């Protein structure tokens, strides 16, 4: 997962691509700026707007997905990034360099050294062997035969095609051919990997398998990837951030959980309708960002007040920098309050269970179930960002359950009644 | 009054053409001499090499090629048998001379036709110029090609080869052009995406993928060369064609039939073998 501060490897600034724009390019670009719709432009000016003022940034290590219906301009957009299709307007900055200003030769250097692409229809050279295909990018770069072989072989091994080196692509199944395409891209050692619907030509089982393998590869090798797809599951499963396109325009860029829980408009909503939000939620989307905290040395009395008020039965002990030191239960604090004491780490504080804000929901269950305290959501410095209780988790899931609307009885009131009790003070003192 | 076409509007093209040719010969004689020398050298060496080969080796070679090209025992036997038949008619030597001319003509056609075909494929403008020329060339009667060859190079084998090349090269150009233009865009796009130069794309993608079509062009060119070599015997090509010509002159239908049969046999042998290799390659890349 890329964080916000990572280097920006690729940036698109208002990139537009027009087809059939001879003679009226400027008029169409002006119409676009004035917000005239794609259909209107097409019927009035005869120009097809392939991509419309697309802007986005892709960070080092990020998995960026471009998703949209057929004809929404995904392929056009990803191709304009390395000028396989010439953009009509806008800037494309790859690794700090505006590639739209480059000569043919300069652009070739970028293609040779910074990017690699995987195609929906593989784009393999049918007369070359698997190994020769895998090394093709290195060959255009003029790398020596020996080094080429080594790198290509290693890429072939990584995609699981060992033993097939001397076969021609026609002897391979679709899934295996796409592995060759992937090996060709990996041997190229690209700063940015571009993929246009790489898995959509495969049958569902092979597709799932390839997606999972690729997700693993992406993590292991810390790739920066831009993937085009119209498969929602694929986008949600693989993407760190997803850009949704419609009629050539990017209408929302969001993380999978934001997209599912908070779609920008009805179009996005209908797009993500089928997705089960809980599946793609992470700690950040479930947590309360206002956890109960106290400093070491605070009076127990005031902590008790706070806990009563907010009906939260654990308090995190934090230091001046809001770093989590420990967690204390209602019972302990109440006992301290009765004796008029103050909160100290030594007076019954426990080590809290923690997770980071990107922990997926399925990994949260064991954490939350293994402690009677809320789970502390912390960043990599240990600073407290939020907390997650069993309730919050269940609440998140509850949104995901299809209740029988006809029968009000069938909707269990999980949130308000039963479950709340599990965190309420009890007289039993359970050890953590 | 309209029985006679008015002489006043007659155009005297023939003197102009003749003048142009003698002007070219006067000013560029060296160029033509050079071309003639090159072709003669190629031809003589080929002829020497082919006639030097002992006939059992030639038969063995044909059998081997037929087998590797077709993988069919029947084809191998039939094709080798055809060569044996030529020998039994007593035309082995003449057939080898014809073969040498054909190989030289096809070689030269390839050297000329391939670049022109590539040019036509890569530039629509060049295509627009070349296409009508090819159309015209293919509708022209074969005999017409003898005339300029004769004028520039006199009588003999060299003009025969040149006439043969001029007649036989159009399908090669046409099919090279077609083959390159119909290479799948996805392979070209992939090569471009990996930073290939236009040259690399031509060498690594377009030519190899167009090769089956180009090979079909070579095959057609070979067949046309074989047909032309008979006609070219009128200006001095030796070999089987000359034998047919002699038979016509002496009104000896039996002899003409024999020689004709040998030409057909040679055509079948060359066609089957080249076609076989083309099919194999096509299969391997699809
Ligand atoms: N060469 C072209 N000439 C004219 N219009 C084009 C051209 N290429 C693409 N378009 C148009 O641009 C729009 C976007 O096409 P694009 O191929 O990028 O869509 P896509 O999102 O990749 O669709 P799919 O999921 O089917 O691959 C479409 O309306 C298409 O008709
Ligand atoms: Mg597409």
């Amino acid at each position: 997962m890329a964080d916000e501060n990572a280097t920006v490897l690729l940036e698109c600034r208002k990139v537009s691509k027009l087809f059939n724009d001879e003679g009226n390019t400027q008029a169409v670009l002006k119409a676009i700026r004035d917000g005239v719709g794609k259909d209107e432009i097409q019927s009035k000016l005869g120009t097809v707007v392939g991509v419309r003022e697309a802007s986005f940034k892709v960070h080092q290590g990020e998995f960026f997905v471009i998703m949209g219906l057929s004809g929404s301009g995904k392929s056009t957009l990803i191709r304009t990034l390395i000028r396989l299709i010439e953009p009509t307007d806008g800037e494309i900055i790859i690794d700090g360099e505006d590639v739209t200003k480059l000569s043919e030769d300069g652009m070739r250097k970028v293609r040779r050294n910074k990017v690699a692409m995987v195609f929906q229809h593989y784009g393999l050279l049918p007369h070359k062997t698997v190994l020769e295909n895998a090394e093709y990018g290195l060959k255009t770069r003029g790398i020596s035969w020996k080094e080429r072989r080594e790198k290509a072989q290693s890429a072939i091994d990584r995609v699981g095609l060992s033993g097939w080196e001397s076969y021609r692509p026609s002897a391979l199944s679709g899934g295996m051919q796409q592995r060759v395409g992937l090996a060709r891209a990996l041997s190229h050692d690209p700063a940015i990997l571009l993929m246009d619907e790489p898995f959509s030509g495969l049958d569902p089982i092979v597709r799932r398998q390839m997606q999972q393998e690729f997700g693993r590869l992406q993590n292991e090798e810390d790739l920066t990837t831009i993937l085009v797809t119209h498969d929602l599951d694929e986008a949600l499963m693989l993407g760190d951030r997803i850009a949704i396109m419609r009629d050539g325009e990017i209408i929302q860029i969001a993380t999978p959980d934001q997209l599912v829980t908070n779609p920008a408009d009805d179009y996005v909503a209908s797009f993500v309708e089928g997705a089960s939000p809980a599946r793609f939620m992470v700690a950040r989307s479930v947590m309360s960002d206002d956890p109960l905290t106290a400093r070491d040395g605070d009076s127990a009395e005031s902590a008790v007040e706070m806990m009563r008020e907010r009906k939260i039965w654990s308090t995190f002990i934090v230091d001046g920098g809001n770093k989590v030191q420990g967690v204390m239960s209602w019972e302990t604090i109440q006992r301290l309050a009765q004796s008029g004491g103050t909160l100290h780490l030594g007076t019954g504080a426990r080590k809290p269970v923690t997770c980071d804000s990107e922990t997926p929901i399925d990994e949260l269950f064991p954490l939350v179930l293994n402690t009677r305290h809320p789970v502390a959501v912390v960043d990599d410095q240990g600073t407290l960002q939020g907390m997650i209780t069993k309730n919050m988790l269940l609440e998140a899931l509850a949104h995901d359950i299809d209740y029988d609307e006809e029968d009000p009885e069938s909707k269990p009131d999980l949130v308000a009644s039963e479950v709340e009790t599990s965190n309420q003070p009890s007289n039993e003192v359970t050890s953590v | 009054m309209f029985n006679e076409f008015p002489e006043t509007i007659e155009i005297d093209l023939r003197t102009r053409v003749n003048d142009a040719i003698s002007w070219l010969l006067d000013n560029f004689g060296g160029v033509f001499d050079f071309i003639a020398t090159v072709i003669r050298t190629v031809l003589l060496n080929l002829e020497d090499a082919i006639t030097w080969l002992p006939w059992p080796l030639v038969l063995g070679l044909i059998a081997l090629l037929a087998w590797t090209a077709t993988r069919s025992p029947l084809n191998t036997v039939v094709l080798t048998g055809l060569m044996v038949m030529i020998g039994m008619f007593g035309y082995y030597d003449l057939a080898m001379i014809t073969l040498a001319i054909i190989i030289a003509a096809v070689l030269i056609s390839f050297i000329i036709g391939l670049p022109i075909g590539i040019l036509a494929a890569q530039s629509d403008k060049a295509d627009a110029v070349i296409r009508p020329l090819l159309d015209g060339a293919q509708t022209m009667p074969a005999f017409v090609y003898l005339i300029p060859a004769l004028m520039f190079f006199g009588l003999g084998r060299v003009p025969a080869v040149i006439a043969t090349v001029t007649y036989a090269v159009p399908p090669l150009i046409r099919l090279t052009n077609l083959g390159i233009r119909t290479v799948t865009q996805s392979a070209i796009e992939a090569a471009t995406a990996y930073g290939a130069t236009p040259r690399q794309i031509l060498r690594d993608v377009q030519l190899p993928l167009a090769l089956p079509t180009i090979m079909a062009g070579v095959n057609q060119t070979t067949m046309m060369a074989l047909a032309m070599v008979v006609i070219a015997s009128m200006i001095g090509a030796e070999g089987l064609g000359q034998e047919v010509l002699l038979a016509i002159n002496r009104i000896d239908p039996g002899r003409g039939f024999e020689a004709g049969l040998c030409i057909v046999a040679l055509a079948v042998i060359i066609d089957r073998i080249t076609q076989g290799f083309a099919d194999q390659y096509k299969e391997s890349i699809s």
Side-chain angles (χ1 to χ4, degrees):
Chain A
M1 162 59 70
D3 65 280
E4 299 296 304
N5 306 324
T7 350
V8 175
L9 272 190
L10 182 143
E11 180 178 358
C12 259
R13 291 188 194 142
K14 296 207 165 188
V15 170
S16 296
K17 173 63 194 177
L18 311 179
F19 294 106
N20 259 341
D21 57 329
E22 289 81 17
N24 57 9
T25 311
Q26 291 314 319
V28 177
L29 288 176
K30 183 170 183 308
I32 285 179
R33 281 193 295 274
D34 294 346
V36 182
K38 171 174 170 151
D39 290 341
E40 200 180 330
I41 291 178
Q42 194 160 345
S43 59
K44 286 203 178 138
L45 298 162
T47 296
V48 181
V49 181
V51 175
R52 184 184 181 114
E53 298 196 319
S55 298
F56 60 88
K57 288 179 187 173
V58 180
H59 301 87
Q60 168 86 48
E62 187 172 26
F63 201 130
F64 190 82
V65 175
I66 300 170
M67 191 169 68
L69 297 176
S70 193
S72 57
K74 310 178 296 291
S75 298
T76 309
L77 177 57
I78 200 168
R79 278 169 174 71
T80 56
L81 298 182
I82 54 169
R83 287 172 57 194
L84 290 176
I85 295 177
E86 246 354 283
T88 312
D89 194 34
E91 290 163 5
I92 295 159
I93 290 107
I94 295 180
D95 210 5
E97 183 177 34
D98 184 355
V99 299
T100 58
K101 306 260 187 314
L102 291 177
S103 64
E104 275 287 304
D105 208 45
M107 194 60 229
R108 253 194 302 276
K109 288 206 179 79
V110 171
R111 291 180 191 143
R112 286 179 180 183
N113 299 314
K114 299 204 172 140
V115 297
M117 190 151 175
V118 178
F119 298 88
Q120 177 175 1
H121 302 294
Y122 323 134
L124 301 176
L125 304 179
H127 58 291
K128 290 189 185 281
T129 63
V130 167
L131 188 68
E132 286 164 347
N133 268 289
E135 68 177 11
Y136 190 70
L138 304 169
K139 201 173 153 194
T140 63
R141 250 196 262 172
I143 287 177
S144 78
W145 186 85
K146 193 163 169 290
E147 192 182 341
R148 235 157 61 195
R149 288 279 134 128
E150 270 168 23
K151 287 193 167 167
Q153 185 63 54
S154 131
I156 287 173
D157 296 342
R158 278 181 282 163
V159 299
L161 273 186
S162 318
W164 291 91
E165 293 83 356
S166 55
Y167 286 79
R168 293 258 169 79
S170 56
L172 274 57
S173 69
M176 289 161 84
Q177 293 192 37
Q178 194 53 291
R179 281 165 203 267
V180 180
L182 201 54
R184 175 171 62 185
L186 291 177
S187 74
H188 207 64
D189 214 359
I192 306 166
L193 183 59
L194 306 175
M195 304 177 104
D196 186 9
E197 307 209 20
F199 309 121
S200 64
L202 311 173
D203 64 66
I205 294 173
V206 179
R207 190 190 312 161
R208 280 283 165 262
Q209 186 192 349
M210 289 280 287
Q211 286 165 350
Q212 280 162 6
E213 278 179 38
F214 184 73
R216 181 181 49 76
L217 216 61
Q218 149 87 17
N219 279 332
E220 279 173 10
E221 314 211 350
D222 194 29
L223 302 168
T224 305
T225 306
I226 301 178
L227 172 87
V228 162
T229 183
H230 59 235
D231 177 348
L232 176 68
D233 287 339
E234 183 172 304
L236 295 174
M237 181 168 98
L238 295 172
D240 290 329
R241 283 189 305 147
I242 300 169
I244 305 272
M245 285 187 86
R246 179 188 49 198
D247 293 346
E249 198 174 359
I250 295 183
I251 49 180
Q252 185 174 12
I253 301 180
T255 58
D257 60 297
Q258 283 167 352
L259 205 63
V260 179
T261 53
N262 201 5
D265 63 9
D266 290 348
Y267 176 81
V268 183
S270 69
F271 217 104
V272 298
E273 204 173 45
S276 135
R279 251 170 71 207
F280 305 100
M281 277 191 238
V282 293
R284 180 165 34 76
S285 47
V286 179
M287 72 183 190
S288 147
D289 55 7
D290 185 20
L292 213 49
T293 58
R295 297 277 205 87
D296 186 84
D298 280 0
S299 95
E301 193 71 48
S302 61
V304 166
E305 288 285 295
M306 287 277 284
M307 289 167 100
R308 276 226 179 85
E309 196 175 302
R310 292 192 49 193
K311 293 193 163 52
I312 297 173
W313 311 109
S314 294
T315 294
F316 291 105
I317 313 292
V318 294
D319 69 5
N322 209 27
K323 286 199 171 60
V324 187
Q325 315 267 294
V327 62
M328 279 181 158
S329 67
W330 162 260
E331 295 85 7
T332 318
I333 297 178
Q334 209 186 25
R335 226 177 294 129
L336 283 170
Q338 275 158 10
S339 60
T342 50
L343 304 179
H344 285 294
L345 282 175
T347 55
R350 304 278 173 180
K351 201 174 174 320
V353 175
T354 61
C355 68
D356 70 46
S357 62
E358 299 301 329
T359 309
I361 201 163
D362 51 335
E363 289 172 29
L364 285 174
F365 278 106
L367 299 180
V368 170
L369 293 175
N370 270 331
T371 169
R372 52 191 296 262
H373 299 293
V375 169
V377 182
V378 296
D379 65 13
D380 40 8
Q381 266 89 46
T383 311
L384 188 64
Q385 293 181 313
M387 65 169 188
I388 299 171
T389 64
K390 295 185 185 72
N391 279 5
M392 292 169 187
L393 217 49
L394 287 166
E395 201 170 342
L397 281 182
H399 287 302
D400 191 35
I401 298 170
D402 278 332
Y403 299 113
D404 189 346
E405 308 258 324
E406 304 289 286
D407 177 13
E409 294 292 300
S410 80
K411 180 170 179 173
D413 201 358
L414 287 173
V415 182
S417 58
E418 302 165 57
V419 187
E420 194 80 23
T421 56
S422 70
N423 258 5
Q424 262 173 11
S426 66
N427 292 328
E428 294 166 53
V429 178
T430 33
S431 59
V432 181
Chain B
M1 101 176 256
F2 288 113
N3 291 337
E4 296 272 322
F5 201 81
E7 274 178 37
T8 40
I9 58 166
E10 231 175 52
I11 297 174
D12 190 15
L13 190 60
R14 65 186 72 163
T15 25
R16 304 261 167 91
V17 170
N18 288 341
D19 287 352
I21 287 173
S22 42
W23 182 83
L24 280 172
L25 278 174
D26 288 346
N27 291 284
F28 296 99
V31 177
F32 294 113
D33 283 349
F34 176 73
I35 296 173
T37 318
V38 170
I39 293 175
R40 194 173 297 116
T41 320
V42 171
L43 200 57
L44 285 180
N45 282 316
L46 263 171
E47 235 179 70
D48 281 354
I50 291 179
T51 46
W52 172 84
L53 290 173
W55 65 264
L57 193 66
V58 172
L59 283 185
L61 220 59
I62 289 176
L64 185 72
L65 285 173
W67 172 252
T68 28
T70 64
R71 297 278 158 199
S72 142
L74 182 69
N75 275 339
T76 311
V77 170
V78 169
L79 294 181
T80 320
L82 285 174
M83 195 67 222
V84 173
M85 182 197 83
I86 292 174
M88 289 184 347
F89 286 158
Y91 284 137
Y92 179 82
D93 288 343
L94 289 183
M96 287 303 116
I97 291 172
T98 300
L99 193 62
I101 297 179
I102 303 272
I103 293 177
V106 172
L107 219 62
I108 295 167
S109 297
F110 192 74
I111 292 167
I112 296 171
L114 193 73
I116 298 179
I118 292 172
L119 182 72
Q122 293 192 327
S123 148
D124 286 339
K125 274 188 196 149
D127 190 35
V129 175
I130 293 166
R131 198 173 286 269
L133 286 179
L134 294 181
D135 289 342
Q138 278 188 323
T139 49
M140 196 95 80
F143 288 102
V144 177
Y145 293 102
L146 298 178
I147 301 161
L150 194 64
M151 284 173 164
F152 287 117
F153 299 98
L155 282 171
R157 281 183 288 195
V158 169
V161 167
I162 286 174
T164 308
V165 167
T166 335
Y167 178 70
V169 79
L172 182 58
I173 297 175
R174 225 185 258 286
L175 286 169
T176 302
N177 182 6
L178 180 75
I180 292 176
R181 281 178 184 266
T182 50
V183 165
T184 61
Q185 208 50 45
S186 71
I188 295 174
E189 187 180 44
T192 313
Y194 282 91
T197 59
R199 252 185 107 105
Q200 285 172 323
I201 291 174
L202 182 66
R203 189 193 63 198
D204 299 337
V205 185
Q206 290 172 311
L207 284 180
L209 293 189
L211 199 54
T213 315
I214 297 175
M215 274 154 98
V218 172
N219 183 277
Q220 279 192 28
T221 293
T222 315
M223 292 304 110
M224 287 180 72
L226 205 56
M228 186 64 191
V229 97
V230 178
I231 296 166
S233 63
M234 289 168 71
I235 55 167
E238 290 157 353
L240 292 171
Q242 206 176 34
E243 205 47 29
V244 177
L245 198 65
L246 280 178
I248 294 170
N249 287 342
R250 294 178 188 166
I251 319 178
D252 185 349
R255 189 173 176 184
F257 187 70
E258 261 184 10
L261 214 55
C262 288
I263 290 172
V264 173
L266 209 55
V268 172
I269 294 171
I270 297 174
D271 180 58
R272 288 294 104 196
I273 290 176
T274 52
Q275 199 64 54
F277 281 121
D279 288 347
Q280 272 179 15
Y281 178 78
K282 208 165 168 175
E283 194 129 307
S284 79
I285 65 166
S286 64

